[in-house]
Amino acid sequence: MDNELRIIISGGGTGGHIFPAVSIANAIKALRPDAKILFVGAEGRMEMQRVPAAGYEIKGLPICGFNRENLLKNITLPFKMWKSDHMVKGILKEFRPMAAVGVGGYASFPTLKAAASKGIPCLIQEQNSFAGKTNKILGKKAAKICVAYEGMERFFPADRILMTGNPVRQALLETTISHDDAVRSFDLDPQRKTILLVGGSLGARTINESILQNLDLVHQSDVQFIWQTGKYYSAQITEQLEQLGKPENLKVTDFISDMGAAYKAADLVISRAGASSISEFCLLGKAVILVPSPNVAEDHQTKNAMALVNKDAAIYVKDADAPATLLEMAIATVNDTSRLETLKENILKLALPDSARIIAEEVIKLATSK
């Protein structure tokens, strides 16, 4: 066991944390097929299904966040934190990792805090342009902090920051389907402009409302739409469309399994401003309108979006304004060939390729430095 490369990767909660984590793990395995990788996540969160589906073992902690909507639910929080700390110590003792990676999410705090206290070198992968509180605390002890945006020295020690970009889903970069075939795969017309609307893995209420409140505009336009509603909203939206009538140029689905094809089909994307999504748009050179979620810590999605908008690499629509303005703006933009090309060219300039491999190399260096 002493000759094995043993790495712990911790975090999750959303696809924005899980996709980079799995990409880093895959890159480590590509460089060192002998590596043993163990994930640590939060019980009941998305990573407990997604990580095993990607072929990796995961241990779950009872850790959770502070519930601001129902304060009574926080009564058990101190016990869950204590139990998570205790469980992490046992996991570290049994697995004996040579390095620990934190990608954000509830589980990363107790895991990396315990690892650092035992002298295990830690690497943090901060996806956003505005660092979260957990990573700001962990960054004080981390050996390396991998970031995707400039100016992160205001959160972390400058001498430990490495500009790597965010790892993305490798399948997106390996998509070989043509634009026309991608459009046809959604039963749409390759001769018409296509707008893709996505709200993240769970959907986005505001983006959904922007469609539902403007079905006449959808129907009257010469554009076609691929609309991922999110599974949470699917049943409600299906019922509303049955009452209101679904335009023939609107393809509705609760979940898109082949995002590579969806991106290839789209002339313009409408999306939230999660860090992983933005990294995908940069690498693929997609023209995008960003509608940042207002329901995130430190309003970090708006800061992510503005990093692109300030370089004329994306269009920004405020969440509160979206139902009234988003669809009209999107239709005008997708029909403006010159504007589309400018957005594509500028966002492609911000791409940072090979992020997963670069981060994996840093992890291996840390693990084998002793």
Side-chain angles (χ1 to χ4, degrees), residues 253-297:
T253 180
D254 63 341
F255 178 74
I256 298 172
S257 57
D258 188 352
M259 282 304 299
Y263 284 149
K264 188 61 73 85
D267 296 287
L268 177 69
V269 181
I270 295 172
S271 172
R272 289 303 201 190
S276 289
S277 295
I278 285 178
S279 293
E280 291 172 357
F281 303 145
C282 290
L283 285 163
L284 297 171
K286 301 306 298 184
V288 62
I289 298 177
L290 297 171
V291 187
S293 170
N295 307 311
V296 293

Side-chain angles (χ1 to χ4, degrees), residues 110-228:
T111 305
L112 267 72
K113 183 182 72 170
S117 72
K118 292 184 175 297
I120 299 166
C122 297
L123 179 146
I124 292 171
Q125 203 267 315
E126 173 56 65
Q127 291 115 25
N128 294 293
S129 60
F130 195 93
K133 292 178 181 176
T134 294
N135 273 355
K136 281 189 276 189
I137 295 169
L138 293 173
K140 295 174 183 177
K141 297 285 182 69
K144 286 286 180 182
I145 301 110
C146 296
V147 302
Y149 292 90
E150 298 169 353
M152 298 302 285
E153 61 274 0
R154 67 192 193 276
F155 304 115
F156 303 115
D159 61 336
R160 288 183 248 158
I161 293 174
L162 189 64
M163 186 73 148
T164 61
N166 289 323
V168 302
R169 291 171 282 185
Q170 194 63 30
L172 297 179
L173 305 178
E174 296 170 350
T175 300
T176 57
I177 191 171
S178 69
H179 169 269
D180 286 6
D181 285 345
V183 174
R184 290 190 192 98
S185 73
F186 290 94
D187 297 321
L188 295 173
D189 181 0
Q191 302 305 313
R192 297 172 76 175
K193 294 285 189 180
T194 303
I195 296 175
L196 169 67
L197 301 103
V198 287
S201 49
L202 299 177
R205 184 177 61 82
T206 300
I207 292 177
N208 290 343
E209 284 299 321
S210 299
I211 287 279
L212 287 172
Q213 293 181 28
N214 293 279
L215 288 173
D216 286 346
L217 194 57
V218 171
H219 180 73
Q220 293 162 12
S221 76
D222 57 350
V223 176
Q224 55 196 3
F225 301 80
I226 301 170
W227 178 19
Q228 179 183 282

Side-chain angles (χ1 to χ4, degrees), residues 43-56:
E43 291 175 355
R45 305 291 287 186
M46 191 186 299
E47 59 265 27
M48 300 308 294
Q49 285 76 45
R50 295 286 180 88
V51 170
Y56 295 100

